[in-house]
Coordinates of all heavy atoms in Angstrom, one line a residue:
M235 N -150.9 58.6 -157.0 CA -149.4 58.4 -157.0 C -149.0 58.4 -158.5 O -149.5 57.7 -159.3 CB -149.1 57.0 -156.4 CG -147.7 56.8 -156.1 SD -147.4 55.2 -155.3 CE -146.8 55.8 -153.7
S236 N -148.0 59.3 -158.7 CA -147.5 59.4 -160.1 C -146.5 58.4 -160.4 O -146.0 57.6 -159.6 CB -146.9 60.8 -160.2 OG -145.7 60.9 -159.5
E237 N -146.2 58.3 -161.7 CA -145.3 57.3 -162.2 C -143.9 57.5 -161.7 O -143.1 56.6 -161.4 CB -145.3 57.3 -163.7 CG -144.4 56.2 -164.3 CD -144.5 56.1 -165.8 OE1 -145.5 56.5 -166.4 OE2 -143.5 55.7 -166.4
H238 N -143.5 58.8 -161.5 CA -142.2 59.2 -160.9 C -142.1 58.6 -159.5 O -141.0 58.1 -159.1 CB -142.1 60.7 -161.0 CG -140.7 61.1 -160.5 ND1 -140.4 61.4 -159.2 CD2 -139.6 61.4 -161.2 CE1 -139.2 61.7 -159.0 NE2 -138.6 61.7 -160.3
D239 N -143.1 58.8 -158.7 CA -143.1 58.3 -157.3 C -142.9 56.7 -157.3 O -142.2 56.2 -156.5 CB -144.3 58.7 -156.6 CG -144.4 60.2 -156.3 OD1 -143.4 60.8 -156.3 OD2 -145.6 60.7 -156.1
V240 N -143.6 56.1 -158.2 CA -143.5 54.6 -158.2 C -142.1 54.2 -158.6 O -141.5 53.3 -158.0 CB -144.6 54.0 -159.2 CG1 -144.3 52.6 -159.5 CG2 -146.0 54.3 -158.7
Q241 N -141.5 54.9 -159.6 CA -140.2 54.5 -160.0 C -139.2 54.8 -158.9 O -138.2 54.0 -158.7 CB -139.8 55.3 -161.3 CG -140.5 54.8 -162.5 CD -140.1 55.7 -163.7 OE1 -139.5 56.7 -163.6 NE2 -140.6 55.2 -164.9
R242 N -139.4 55.9 -158.2 CA -138.5 56.2 -157.1 C -138.6 55.1 -156.0 O -137.5 54.7 -155.5 CB -138.8 57.5 -156.5 CG -137.9 58.0 -155.3 CD -138.3 59.4 -154.8 NE -139.7 59.5 -154.5 CZ -140.3 59.1 -153.4 NH1 -139.6 58.5 -152.5 NH2 -141.5 59.4 -153.2
E243 N -139.8 54.7 -155.7 CA -139.9 53.6 -154.7 C -139.3 52.3 -155.1 O -138.7 51.6 -154.4 CB -141.4 53.4 -154.4 CG -142.0 54.4 -153.5 CD -143.4 54.1 -153.1 OE1 -143.7 52.9 -152.9 OE2 -144.2 55.0 -152.9
V244 N -139.5 52.0 -156.4 CA -138.9 50.7 -157.0 C -137.4 50.8 -156.9 O -136.7 49.8 -156.5 CB -139.3 50.5 -158.4 CG1 -138.5 49.4 -159.1 CG2 -140.8 50.1 -158.4
S245 N -136.8 52.0 -157.2 CA -135.3 52.1 -157.1 C -134.8 52.0 -155.7 O -133.8 51.4 -155.4 CB -134.8 53.3 -157.8 OG -135.3 54.5 -157.1
E246 N -135.6 52.5 -154.7 CA -135.2 52.4 -153.3 C -135.2 51.0 -152.9 O -134.3 50.5 -152.2 CB -136.1 53.3 -152.5 CG -135.9 54.7 -152.6 CD -136.9 55.6 -151.8 OE1 -137.7 55.0 -151.1 OE2 -136.9 56.8 -151.9
L247 N -136.3 50.2 -153.3 CA -136.4 48.8 -152.9 C -135.3 48.0 -153.5 O -134.7 47.1 -152.9 CB -137.7 48.3 -153.3 CG -138.9 48.8 -152.5 CD1 -140.2 48.3 -153.1 CD2 -138.8 48.3 -151.0
Q248 N -134.9 48.3 -154.8 CA -133.8 47.6 -155.4 C -132.5 47.8 -154.7 O -131.7 46.9 -154.5 CB -133.7 48.0 -156.9 CG -134.8 47.4 -157.7 CD -134.7 47.9 -159.2 OE1 -134.0 48.9 -159.5 NE2 -135.4 47.2 -160.1
A249 N -132.3 49.1 -154.2 CA -131.0 49.4 -153.5 C -131.0 48.6 -152.2 O -130.0 48.1 -151.8 CB -130.9 50.9 -153.3
K250 N -132.1 48.6 -151.5 CA -132.2 47.8 -150.2 C -132.0 46.3 -150.5 O -131.3 45.7 -149.7 CB -133.6 48.0 -149.5 CG -133.7 49.4 -148.9 CD -135.1 49.5 -148.3 CE -135.3 50.9 -147.8 NZ -136.7 51.1 -147.2
S251 N -132.5 45.8 -151.6 CA -132.3 44.4 -151.9 C -130.9 44.1 -152.2 O -130.3 43.1 -151.7 CB -133.2 44.0 -153.1 OG -132.9 42.7 -153.5
A252 N -130.2 45.0 -152.9 CA -128.8 44.8 -153.2 C -127.9 44.8 -151.9 O -127.0 44.0 -151.7 CB -128.3 45.8 -154.2
T253 N -128.3 45.7 -151.0 CA -127.5 45.8 -149.7 C -127.8 44.5 -148.9 O -126.8 44.0 -148.3 CB -128.0 47.0 -148.9 OG1 -127.8 48.2 -149.7 CG2 -127.2 47.2 -147.6
A254 N -129.0 44.0 -148.9 CA -129.3 42.8 -148.1 C -128.5 41.6 -148.7 O -128.0 40.8 -148.0 CB -130.8 42.6 -148.1
A255 N -128.4 41.6 -150.0 CA -127.7 40.5 -150.7 C -126.3 40.5 -150.3 O -125.7 39.4 -150.1 CB -127.9 40.6 -152.2
R256 N -125.7 41.7 -150.2 CA -124.3 41.8 -149.9 C -124.0 41.4 -148.4 O -123.0 40.8 -148.0 CB -123.7 43.2 -150.2 CG -123.4 43.3 -151.6 CD -122.7 44.7 -151.8 NE -123.4 45.3 -153.0 CZ -124.1 46.4 -152.9 NH1 -124.2 47.1 -151.8 NH2 -124.7 46.9 -154.0
I257 N -125.0 41.8 -147.5 CA -124.8 41.6 -146.1 C -124.9 40.1 -145.8 O -124.1 39.5 -145.0 CB -125.9 42.3 -145.3 CG1 -125.6 43.8 -145.3 CG2 -125.9 41.8 -143.8 CD1 -126.7 44.7 -144.7
F258 N -125.8 39.4 -146.5 CA -126.0 38.0 -146.2 C -125.2 37.0 -147.1 O -125.6 35.9 -147.4 CB -127.5 37.6 -146.1 CG -128.2 38.3 -145.0 CD1 -129.1 39.3 -145.2 CD2 -127.9 37.9 -143.7 CE1 -129.7 40.0 -144.2 CE2 -128.5 38.5 -142.6 CZ -129.4 39.6 -142.9
D259 N -124.2 37.5 -147.7 CA -123.4 36.7 -148.6 C -122.7 35.6 -147.8 O -122.2 35.8 -146.7 CB -122.3 37.6 -149.3 CG -121.5 36.9 -150.4 OD1 -121.8 35.7 -150.6 OD2 -120.7 37.5 -151.1
L260 N -122.8 34.4 -148.3 CA -122.3 33.2 -147.5 C -120.8 33.3 -147.3 O -120.3 32.8 -146.3 CB -122.7 31.9 -148.3 CG -124.1 31.5 -148.1 CD1 -124.3 30.2 -148.9 CD2 -124.5 31.3 -146.7
R261 N -120.1 33.9 -148.2 CA -118.6 34.0 -148.0 C -118.3 34.8 -146.8 O -117.4 34.5 -146.0 CB -118.0 34.7 -149.2 CG -118.1 33.8 -150.5 CD -117.5 34.5 -151.7 NE -118.4 35.7 -152.0 CZ -118.2 36.5 -153.0 NH1 -117.2 36.3 -153.8 NH2 -119.1 37.5 -153.3
R262 N -119.1 35.8 -146.5 CA -118.9 36.6 -145.3 C -119.2 35.8 -144.0 O -118.4 35.8 -143.0 CB -119.8 37.9 -145.3 CG -119.7 38.8 -144.1 CD -120.6 39.9 -144.1 NE -120.7 40.5 -145.4 CZ -120.1 41.7 -145.8 NH1 -119.4 42.3 -144.8 NH2 -120.2 42.2 -147.0
I263 N -120.3 35.1 -144.0 CA -120.6 34.3 -142.9 C -119.6 33.1 -142.6 O -119.1 32.9 -141.5 CB -122.1 33.7 -143.0 CG1 -123.1 34.9 -143.1 CG2 -122.4 32.7 -141.9 CD1 -124.5 34.5 -143.5
I264 N -119.3 32.4 -143.7 CA -118.4 31.3 -143.6 C -117.0 31.8 -143.2 O -116.3 31.2 -142.3 CB -118.3 30.5 -144.9 CG1 -119.7 29.7 -145.1 CG2 -117.2 29.5 -144.9 CD1 -119.8 29.1 -146.5
G265 N -116.5 32.8 -143.8 CA -115.2 33.4 -143.5 C -115.1 33.9 -142.1 O -114.1 33.6 -141.4
G266 N -116.2 34.6 -141.6 CA -116.2 35.1 -140.3 C -116.2 34.0 -139.2 O -115.4 34.0 -138.2
L267 N -116.9 32.9 -139.5 CA -117.0 31.8 -138.5 C -115.6 31.0 -138.5 O -115.2 30.7 -137.4 CB -118.1 30.8 -138.9 CG -119.5 31.3 -138.5 CD1 -120.6 30.4 -139.0 CD2 -119.6 31.5 -137.0
F268 N -115.0 30.8 -139.7 CA -113.8 30.1 -139.7 C -112.7 31.0 -139.0 O -111.8 30.4 -138.3 CB -113.3 29.8 -141.1 CG -113.7 28.4 -141.6 CD1 -114.8 28.2 -142.4 CD2 -113.0 27.3 -141.1 CE1 -115.2 27.0 -142.8 CE2 -113.4 26.0 -141.5 CZ -114.5 25.9 -142.3
V269 N -112.7 32.3 -139.2 CA -111.7 33.1 -138.5 C -111.9 33.0 -137.0 O -111.0 32.9 -136.2 CB -111.8 34.6 -139.0 CG1 -111.0 35.5 -138.1 CG2 -111.2 34.6 -140.4
L270 N -113.2 33.2 -136.6 CA -113.5 33.1 -135.1 C -113.0 31.8 -134.5 O -112.3 31.7 -133.5 CB -115.0 33.3 -134.9 CG -115.4 33.3 -133.4 CD1 -114.9 34.4 -132.6 CD2 -116.9 33.3 -133.4
Y271 N -113.5 30.7 -135.1 CA -113.1 29.3 -134.6 C -111.6 29.1 -134.7 O -111.0 28.4 -133.9 CB -113.9 28.2 -135.3 CG -115.4 28.3 -135.0 CD1 -116.3 27.8 -135.9 CD2 -115.9 28.8 -133.8 CE1 -117.7 27.8 -135.7 CE2 -117.2 28.8 -133.6 CZ -118.1 28.3 -134.5 OH -119.5 28.4 -134.3
G272 N -111.0 29.6 -135.8 CA -109.6 29.4 -136.0 C -108.8 30.1 -134.8 O -107.8 29.6 -134.3
I273 N -109.2 31.3 -134.4 CA -108.6 32.0 -133.3 C -108.7 31.2 -132.0 O -107.7 31.0 -131.3 CB -109.2 33.4 -133.2 CG1 -108.8 34.3 -134.3 CG2 -108.8 34.1 -131.9 CD1 -109.5 35.6 -134.4
I274 N -109.9 30.7 -131.8 CA -110.2 29.9 -130.6 C -109.3 28.7 -130.5 O -108.6 28.4 -129.5 CB -111.7 29.6 -130.4 CG1 -112.5 30.8 -130.2 CG2 -111.9 28.6 -129.3 CD1 -114.0 30.7 -130.3
V275 N -109.2 27.9 -131.6 CA -108.5 26.7 -131.7 C -107.0 26.9 -131.6 O -106.2 26.2 -131.0 CB -108.9 25.8 -132.9 CG1 -108.0 24.6 -133.0 CG2 -110.4 25.4 -132.8
T276 N -106.5 28.0 -132.3 CA -105.1 28.4 -132.3 C -104.7 28.7 -130.8 O -103.6 28.3 -130.4 CB -104.8 29.5 -133.2 OG1 -105.2 29.1 -134.5 CG2 -103.4 29.9 -133.2
I277 N -105.5 29.5 -130.1 CA -105.2 29.8 -128.7 C -105.1 28.6 -127.9 O -104.2 28.4 -127.1 CB -106.2 30.8 -128.2 CG1 -106.0 32.2 -128.9 CG2 -106.1 31.0 -126.7 CD1 -107.1 33.2 -128.5
A278 N -106.0 27.6 -128.1 CA -106.0 26.4 -127.4 C -104.7 25.6 -127.7 O -104.3 24.8 -126.9 CB -107.2 25.5 -127.7
G279 N -104.2 25.7 -128.9 CA -103.0 25.0 -129.3 C -101.7 25.6 -129.0 O -100.6 25.0 -129.2
I280 N -101.7 26.9 -128.5 CA -100.4 27.5 -128.2 C -99.7 26.8 -127.1 O -98.4 26.6 -127.2 CB -100.7 29.0 -127.9 CG1 -101.1 29.7 -129.2 CG2 -99.4 29.7 -127.3 CD1 -101.4 31.2 -129.1
N281 N -100.3 26.5 -126.0 CA -99.7 25.8 -124.9 C -100.4 24.4 -124.7 O -101.2 24.3 -123.8 CB -99.8 26.6 -123.6 CG -98.9 27.9 -123.7 OD1 -97.8 27.8 -124.2 ND2 -99.4 29.0 -123.1
P282 N -100.0 23.4 -125.5 CA -100.7 22.2 -125.3 C -100.2 21.4 -124.1 O -99.1 21.6 -123.6 CB -100.3 21.4 -126.6 CG -99.0 22.0 -127.0 CD -99.0 23.4 -126.5
S283 N -101.1 20.6 -123.5 CA -100.6 19.8 -122.4 C -99.9 18.5 -122.9 O -100.0 18.2 -124.1 CB -101.9 19.4 -121.6 OG -102.7 18.5 -122.3
D284 N -99.2 17.9 -122.1 CA -98.5 16.7 -122.5 C -99.5 15.6 -122.9 O -99.2 14.8 -123.8 CB -97.6 16.2 -121.4 CG -96.4 17.1 -121.1 OD1 -96.0 17.8 -122.1 OD2 -95.9 17.2 -120.0
A285 N -100.6 15.5 -122.2 CA -101.6 14.5 -122.5 C -102.2 14.7 -123.9 O -102.4 13.7 -124.7 CB -102.7 14.5 -121.5
T286 N -102.4 16.0 -124.3 CA -102.9 16.3 -125.6 C -101.9 15.9 -126.7 O -102.3 15.3 -127.7 CB -103.2 17.8 -125.7 OG1 -104.1 18.1 -124.7 CG2 -103.9 18.1 -127.0
L287 N -100.7 16.2 -126.4 CA -99.6 15.8 -127.4 C -99.4 14.3 -127.5 O -99.2 13.8 -128.6 CB -98.3 16.5 -127.1 CG -98.2 18.0 -127.3 CD1 -96.9 18.5 -126.8 CD2 -98.4 18.3 -128.8
D288 N -99.6 13.6 -126.4 CA -99.5 12.1 -126.4 C -100.6 11.5 -127.2 O -100.4 10.5 -127.9 CB -99.4 11.6 -125.0 CG -98.1 11.9 -124.3 OD1 -97.1 12.2 -125.0 OD2 -98.1 11.8 -123.0
K289 N -101.8 12.0 -127.1 CA -103.0 11.5 -127.8 C -102.7 11.7 -129.3 O -103.2 10.8 -130.1 CB -104.2 12.3 -127.5 CG -104.9 11.9 -126.2 CD -106.2 12.7 -126.0 CE -106.6 12.7 -124.6 NZ -107.9 13.5 -124.5
A290 N -102.1 12.8 -129.7 CA -101.9 13.1 -131.2 C -100.5 12.6 -131.7 O -100.1 13.1 -132.7 CB -102.1 14.5 -131.4
E291 N -99.9 11.8 -130.9 CA -98.5 11.2 -131.3 C -97.5 12.3 -131.5 O -96.7 12.3 -132.5 CB -98.7 10.3 -132.5 CG -99.5 9.1 -132.2 CD -99.6 8.1 -133.4 OE1 -98.9 8.3 -134.4 OE2 -100.4 7.2 -133.3
G292 N -97.5 13.4 -130.7 CA -96.5 14.4 -130.7 C -96.8 15.6 -131.7 O -96.0 16.5 -131.8
I293 N -98.0 15.5 -132.3 CA -98.3 16.6 -133.3 C -99.3 17.5 -132.6 O -100.3 17.1 -132.0 CB -98.9 16.1 -134.5 CG1 -98.0 15.2 -135.3 CG2 -99.4 17.2 -135.5 CD1 -98.6 14.4 -136.4
N294 N -99.0 18.8 -132.6 CA -99.9 19.8 -132.0 C -101.1 20.1 -133.0 O -101.1 21.0 -133.7 CB -99.2 21.1 -131.7 CG -99.9 22.0 -130.8 OD1 -101.1 21.8 -130.6 ND2 -99.3 23.0 -130.3
I295 N -102.1 19.2 -132.9 CA -103.2 19.3 -133.8 C -104.0 20.6 -133.7 O -104.4 21.2 -134.7 CB -104.1 18.0 -133.6 CG1 -103.4 16.8 -134.1 CG2 -105.4 18.2 -134.4 CD1 -104.2 15.5 -133.9
N296 N -104.2 21.0 -132.4 CA -105.0 22.2 -132.2 C -104.3 23.4 -132.9 O -105.0 24.2 -133.5 CB -105.2 22.5 -130.8 CG -106.2 21.6 -130.1 OD1 -107.1 21.1 -130.8 ND2 -106.1 21.5 -128.8
L297 N -103.0 23.5 -132.8 CA -102.3 24.7 -133.4 C -102.4 24.6 -134.9 O -102.8 25.6 -135.6 CB -100.9 24.7 -133.0 CG -100.0 25.8 -133.5 CD1 -100.5 27.1 -133.0 CD2 -98.6 25.6 -133.2
W298 N -102.2 23.5 -135.5 CA -102.2 23.3 -137.0 C -103.6 23.5 -137.5 O -103.8 24.1 -138.6 CB -101.6 22.0 -137.4 CG -100.1 22.0 -137.2 CD1 -99.4 21.4 -136.3 CD2 -99.1 22.8 -137.9 NE1 -98.0 21.7 -136.4 CE2 -97.9 22.6 -137.4 CE3 -99.2 23.7 -139.0 CZ2 -96.7 23.2 -137.8 CZ3 -98.1 24.3 -139.5 CH2 -96.8 24.1 -138.9
T299 N -104.6 22.9 -136.9 CA -106.0 23.0 -137.3 C -106.4 24.5 -137.2 O -107.1 25.0 -138.1 CB -106.9 22.1 -136.5 OG1 -106.4 20.8 -136.6 CG2 -108.3 22.2 -137.0
G300 N -106.1 25.1 -136.1 CA -106.5 26.5 -135.9 C -105.9 27.4 -137.0 O -106.5 28.3 -137.5
L301 N -104.6 27.2 -137.3 CA -104.0 28.0 -138.3 C -104.6 27.7 -139.7 O -104.8 28.7 -140.5 CB -102.4 27.7 -138.4 CG -101.7 28.2 -137.2 CD1 -100.2 27.8 -137.2 CD2 -101.8 29.7 -137.0
G302 N -104.9 26.5 -140.0 CA -105.6 26.2 -141.2 C -107.0 26.8 -141.3 O -107.4 27.3 -142.4
M303 N -107.7 26.8 -140.2 CA -109.0 27.5 -140.2 C -108.9 29.0 -140.4 O -109.7 29.6 -141.1 CB -109.7 27.2 -138.9 CG -110.2 25.7 -138.8 SD -110.8 25.3 -137.1 CE -112.4 26.0 -137.3
L304 N -107.9 29.6 -139.7 CA -107.6 31.0 -139.9 C -107.3 31.3 -141.4 O -107.9 32.3 -142.0 CB -106.5 31.4 -139.1 CG -106.8 31.9 -137.7 CD1 -105.5 32.1 -136.9 CD2 -107.6 33.1 -137.7
L305 N -106.5 30.5 -142.0 CA -106.2 30.8 -143.4 C -107.4 30.6 -144.3 O -107.6 31.4 -145.2 CB -105.1 29.8 -143.9 CG -103.7 30.1 -143.3 CD1 -102.7 29.0 -143.8 CD2 -103.2 31.5 -143.8
L306 N -108.2 29.6 -144.1 CA -109.4 29.4 -144.9 C -110.4 30.6 -144.7 O -111.0 31.1 -145.6 CB -110.1 28.1 -144.5 CG -111.3 27.7 -145.3 CD1 -110.9 27.5 -146.8 CD2 -112.0 26.5 -144.8
G307 N -110.6 31.0 -143.5 CA -111.5 32.1 -143.2 C -111.0 33.4 -143.8 O -111.8 34.2 -144.4
I308 N -109.7 33.7 -143.8 CA -109.1 34.8 -144.4 C -109.3 34.8 -145.9 O -109.6 35.8 -146.6 CB -107.6 35.0 -144.0 CG1 -107.6 35.4 -142.5 CG2 -106.9 36.0 -144.9 CD1 -106.2 35.4 -141.9
F309 N -109.1 33.5 -146.5 CA -109.3 33.4 -147.9 C -110.7 33.8 -148.3 O -110.9 34.5 -149.3 CB -109.0 31.9 -148.3 CG -109.5 31.5 -149.7 CD1 -108.8 32.0 -150.8 CD2 -110.7 30.8 -149.8 CE1 -109.3 31.7 -152.1 CE2 -111.2 30.5 -151.1 CZ -110.5 30.9 -152.2
F310 N -111.7 33.3 -147.6 CA -113.1 33.6 -147.9 C -113.4 35.2 -147.8 O -114.0 35.7 -148.6 CB -114.1 32.9 -147.0 CG -114.5 31.6 -147.4 CD1 -113.9 30.4 -147.0 CD2 -115.5 31.4 -148.4 CE1 -114.2 29.2 -147.4 CE2 -115.9 30.2 -148.8 CZ -115.2 29.0 -148.4
L311 N -112.8 35.8 -146.8 CA -113.0 37.2 -146.6 C -112.3 38.0 -147.7 O -112.8 39.0 -148.2 CB -112.6 37.7 -145.2 CG -113.4 37.1 -144.1 CD1 -112.8 37.5 -142.8 CD2 -114.9 37.5 -144.2
V312 N -111.1 37.6 -148.1 CA -110.4 38.3 -149.2 C -111.1 38.1 -150.5 O -111.2 39.0 -151.3 CB -108.9 37.8 -149.3 CG1 -108.2 38.2 -150.6 CG2 -108.1 38.2 -148.1
W313 N -111.6 36.9 -150.7 CA -112.4 36.6 -151.9 C -113.6 37.5 -152.0 O -114.0 38.0 -153.0 CB -112.8 35.1 -151.9 CG -113.6 34.6 -153.0 CD1 -113.7 35.1 -154.3 CD2 -114.5 33.5 -153.0 NE1 -114.6 34.4 -155.1 CE2 -115.1 33.4 -154.3 CE3 -114.8 32.5 -152.1 CZ2 -116.0 32.4 -154.6 CZ3 -115.7 31.5 -152.4 CH2 -116.3 31.5 -153.7
L314 N -114.3 37.7 -150.9 CA -115.4 38.6 -150.8 C -115.0 40.0 -151.2 O -115.7 40.7 -151.9 CB -116.1 38.5 -149.4 CG -117.2 39.5 -149.2 CD1 -118.4 39.0 -150.0 CD2 -117.6 39.5 -147.7
R315 N -113.9 40.4 -150.7 CA -113.4 41.8 -150.9 C -113.0 42.0 -152.4 O -113.3 43.0 -153.0 CB -112.2 42.1 -150.0 CG -111.7 43.4 -150.1 CD -112.7 44.4 -149.6 NE -112.1 45.2 -148.6 CZ -112.7 46.1 -148.0 NH1 -113.9 46.5 -148.3 NH2 -112.2 46.8 -147.0
L316 N -112.4 41.0 -153.0 CA -111.9 41.1 -154.3 C -113.0 41.0 -155.4 O -112.9 41.6 -156.4 CB -110.7 40.1 -154.6 CG -109.5 40.4 -153.8 CD1 -108.4 39.3 -154.1 CD2 -108.9 41.7 -154.1
R317 N -114.0 40.1 -155.1 CA -115.0 39.8 -156.0 C -116.4 40.0 -155.3 O -117.0 39.0 -155.0 CB -114.9 38.5 -156.7 CG -113.6 38.4 -157.5 CD -113.6 37.3 -158.5 NE -114.8 37.1 -159.2 CZ -114.9 37.1 -160.5 NH1 -113.9 37.3 -161.2 NH2 -116.1 36.8 -161.0
P318 N -116.8 41.2 -155.1 CA -118.1 41.4 -154.3 C -119.3 40.9 -155.2 O -119.2 40.8 -156.4 CB -118.1 42.9 -154.1 CG -117.2 43.5 -155.1 CD -116.2 42.5 -155.4
T319 N -120.4 40.7 -154.5 CA -121.6 40.3 -155.1 C -122.1 41.4 -156.0 O -122.3 42.5 -155.6 CB -122.6 40.0 -154.1 OG1 -122.1 39.0 -153.2 CG2 -123.9 39.4 -154.7
P320 N -122.3 41.1 -157.3 CA -122.9 42.2 -158.2 C -124.3 42.5 -157.8 O -125.0 41.6 -157.4 CB -122.8 41.6 -159.6 CG -122.8 40.1 -159.4 CD -122.1 39.9 -158.0
P321 N -124.7 43.8 -158.0 CA -126.1 44.1 -157.6 C -127.0 43.4 -158.6 O -126.6 43.1 -159.8 CB -126.1 45.6 -157.8 CG -124.9 46.0 -158.6 CD -123.9 44.9 -158.4
P322 N -128.2 43.1 -158.2 CA -129.2 42.4 -159.1 C -129.5 43.3 -160.2 O -129.7 44.5 -160.1 CB -130.4 42.1 -158.2 CG -130.2 43.0 -157.0 CD -128.8 43.3 -156.8
V323 N -129.7 42.7 -161.4 CA -130.0 43.5 -162.6 C -131.5 43.6 -162.6 O -132.3 42.6 -162.5 CB -129.5 42.7 -163.8 CG1 -129.9 43.4 -165.1 CG2 -128.0 42.5 -163.8
P324 N -132.0 44.8 -162.8 CA -133.5 45.0 -162.8 C -134.1 44.3 -164.0 O -133.5 44.3 -165.1 CB -133.7 46.5 -162.8 CG -132.4 47.1 -163.3 CD -131.3 46.1 -162.9
E325 N -135.3 43.7 -163.8 CA -135.9 43.1 -164.9 C -136.4 44.2 -165.9 O -137.0 45.1 -165.5 CB -137.1 42.3 -164.4 CG -136.6 41.1 -163.6 CD -137.8 40.3 -163.1 OE1 -138.9 40.4 -163.7 OE2 -137.7 39.6 -162.1
E326 N -136.2 43.9 -167.2 CA -136.7 44.8 -168.2 C -138.0 44.4 -168.7 O -138.4 43.3 -168.8 CB -135.7 44.8 -169.3 CG -134.3 45.1 -168.9 CD -133.5 46.0 -169.8 OE1 -134.1 46.4 -170.9 OE2 -132.4 46.3 -169.6
K327 N -138.8 45.4 -169.0 CA -140.2 45.2 -169.6 C -140.0 44.5 -170.9 O -139.2 44.9 -171.7 CB -141.0 46.4 -169.6 CG -141.3 47.0 -168.2 CD -142.1 48.3 -168.3 CE -142.3 48.8 -167.0 NZ -143.1 50.1 -167.0
K328 N -140.9 43.6 -171.2 CA -140.8 42.9 -172.5 C -142.0 43.3 -173.4 O -142.7 42.6 -173.9 CB -140.9 41.4 -172.3 CG -139.7 40.8 -171.5 CD -139.7 39.3 -171.3 CE -138.5 38.9 -170.5 NZ -138.6 37.5 -170.3
D329 N -142.2 44.6 -173.5 CA -143.2 45.2 -174.3 C -142.6 45.7 -175.7 O -142.6 46.9 -176.0 CB -143.9 46.4 -173.6 CG -144.6 46.0 -172.3 OD1 -144.9 44.8 -172.2 OD2 -144.7 46.9 -171.4
A330 N -142.2 44.8 -176.4 CA -141.6 45.2 -177.7 C -142.5 44.8 -178.9 O -143.2 44.0 -179.0 CB -140.2 44.5 -177.9

């Protein structure tokens, strides 16, 4: 195996590593879950029952919590879009 082949394999592995780091970024996971749960809770809060409103002293908690979760999830996803994870810097040889 020549040195060129080894370098090519190393660069391919680094590209795969950078892609995996971007896919499993916590901001994507947290943002996605908050958006999903926010949608579910907001839908539950659109038509509250009288018993639910009485428990919360007249405040539609499901609606407000769902909207807050949606905003937080969107914030995480926008943050991910505006400041993506930088690719890992390859280690340099210390043969000086």
Side-chain angles (χ1 to χ4, degrees):
M235 191 177 244
S236 69
E237 186 176 330
H238 183 273
D239 292 336
V240 171
Q241 287 178 351
R242 183 178 48 81
E243 283 187 33
V244 168
S245 65
E246 287 176 5
L247 289 174
Q248 287 175 344
K250 288 179 183 179
S251 174
T253 303
R256 279 188 229 115
I257 289 173
F258 294 111
D259 190 352
L260 284 178
R261 294 175 291 181
R262 181 183 314 260
I263 296 168
I264 292 171
L267 286 175
F268 266 103
V269 167
L270 177 68
Y271 294 151
I273 290 170
I274 293 169
V275 174
T276 301
I277 290 172
I280 289 176
N281 290 323
S283 65
D284 291 334
T286 305
L287 287 176
D288 289 340
K289 283 183 196 178
E291 297 181 10
I293 299 171
N294 192 348
I295 292 176
N296 284 339
L297 181 65
W298 289 107
T299 303
L301 291 175
M303 291 173 78
L304 272 172
L305 288 174
L306 183 64
I308 290 170
F309 167 75
F310 272 98
L311 295 176
V312 167
W313 179 24
L314 176 68
R315 181 66 121 178
L316 294 177
R317 298 202 36 128
T319 306
V323 179
E325 295 180 20
E326 304 218 1
K327 294 180 181 177
K328 298 181 180 179
D329 296 336

